[in-house]
Amino acid sequence: MSRELWWDGCVNVRDLGGLGRVRPRAVVRMEAPTTLSPTGWAAAWDYGIRTFVDLRHAEECDPDDAPRPPGITTVRVPLEPIGTPFYERWVPIDNLASPLYYPAMLAEHPEPVIAAVRAIATAAPGGVVIHCAGGKDRTGLVSLVLLTLAGATPEEITADYLITFERMAERYAALGYPDVLGKVSRILAEHGTTVEASLASTVAGLRMPGFLRDNGVTDAELAALRARLLSGT
């Protein structure tokens, strides 16, 4: 079964199933579903999706082009800690648009990440979509946490992260950003690292399930997350 999904109106949709022990149809990552057509929403519904976890802030959220099907629940969990010293420090470094900020975010502001994980764990029966605007960095960070819990390798996590640059290339170019991967790579190079090394370092430093437990995830929530996410549970 291919992880690549094609929901009309969006271009960066993929199932995390098959990475580590993640079971298919449990969690899907994508860009904002704002541009899904009625056919695209029907495809998401038919795939079993019942909850969308939106990692954007309210001011980013444009109206959907087509109505969401009845029965779809949207949970908003703004991930970026806007207005904090952390945010003001990192915007000039990478605009929170590279993996460079991930370790600092997990160390200094784990609360919104935990809130997103909790929303996934406690969602109603059915598949869950996680998304931000482009489906790259905020979505990438939450995906990294889930995939690390599921035992995915750094190589799998990196390969999954890099897919977005290919899938979003035309949309980035239309917005005037023709080489986003090149820009991200240059930022990382200025700090002595690469996409691969940065993500691998984050995974290596993320103790699971200790990170979740240390930040307030209960035994019941962890059991619910594992039951939703993992095959063979």
Side-chain angles (χ1 to χ4, degrees), residues 12-14 16 28-30 130 135-136 139-140 143 160-161 164:
N12 190 28
V13 190
R14 57 190 178 276
L16 294 184
V28 170
R29 63 178 292 174
M30 67 182 294
I130 51 174
K136 179 168 70 71
T139 301
S143 295
D160 181 59
Y161 175 83
T164 290

Side-chain angles (χ1 to χ4, degrees), residues 7-10 30-37 41 52-54 56 62-66 68 74 129-133:
W7 296 350
D8 186 55
C10 285
M30 67 182 294
E31 78 269 44
T34 308
T35 54
L36 283 176
S37 69
W41 281 112
F52 279 72
V53 178
D54 188 345
R56 300 172 298 168
D62 295 326
D64 293 334
D65 289 350
R68 303 187 180 208
T74 301
V129 163
I130 51 174
H131 74 87
C132 50

Side-chain angles (χ1 to χ4, degrees), residues 108-122:
E108 298 177 40
H109 287 281
E111 298 86 0
V113 177
I114 294 298
V117 169
R118 185 171 282 122
I120 295 163
T122 60

Side-chain angles (χ1 to χ4, degrees), residues 5-233:
L5 302 174
W6 305 98
W7 296 350
D8 186 55
C10 285
V11 298
N12 190 28
V13 190
R14 57 190 178 276
D15 197 322
L16 294 184
L19 302 179
R21 292 176 54 211
V22 180
R23 64 178 182 82
R25 298 180 184 253
V27 179
V28 170
R29 63 178 292 174
M30 67 182 294
E31 78 269 44
T34 308
T35 54
L36 283 176
S37 69
T39 300
W41 281 112
W45 179 266
D46 291 344
Y47 199 72
I49 300 300
R50 297 297 182 266
T51 302
F52 279 72
V53 178
D54 188 345
L55 306 176
R56 300 172 298 168
H57 283 266
E59 58 270 19
E60 299 178 75
C61 301
D62 295 326
D64 293 334
D65 289 350
R68 303 187 180 208
I72 290 283
T73 298
T74 301
V75 182
R76 302 199 184 277
V77 185
L79 204 74
E80 292 179 344
I82 292 174
T84 65
F86 171 91
Y87 187 82
E88 299 304 320
R89 182 171 78 251
W90 277 94
V91 166
I93 296 173
D94 71 350
N95 203 36
L96 281 78
S98 88
L100 193 63
Y101 81 93
Y102 284 3
M105 177 76 179
L106 292 171
E108 298 177 40
H109 287 281
E111 298 86 0
V113 177
I114 294 298
V117 169
R118 185 171 282 122
I120 295 163
T122 60
V128 178
V129 163
I130 51 174
H131 74 87
C132 50
K136 179 168 70 71
D137 294 296
R138 288 169 286 187
T139 301
L141 177 54
V142 175
S143 295
L144 181 149
V145 170
L146 297 175
L147 291 172
T148 301
L149 177 67
T153 66
E155 292 77 14
E156 287 178 305
I157 292 169
T158 297
D160 181 59
Y161 175 83
L162 289 171
I163 290 171
T164 290
F165 295 97
E166 177 184 349
R167 296 290 292 270
M168 292 288 288
E170 289 188 13
R171 294 198 175 182
Y172 285 147
L175 293 170
Y177 306 111
D179 185 17
V180 175
L181 179 56
K183 182 177 181 180
V184 169
S185 297
R186 287 189 292 274
I187 290 170
L188 291 166
E190 290 170 1
H191 291 82
T193 189
T194 62
V195 170
E196 293 81 1
S198 181
L199 288 168
S201 176
T202 302
V203 172
L206 188 57
R207 186 174 59 90
M208 283 295 189
F211 169 79
L212 301 177
R213 292 186 187 278
D214 291 348
N215 287 286
V217 174
T218 66
D219 288 345
E221 290 167 338
L222 182 58
L225 179 63
R226 283 174 162 153
R228 176 181 297 280
L229 187 66
L230 304 181
S231 59
T233 57

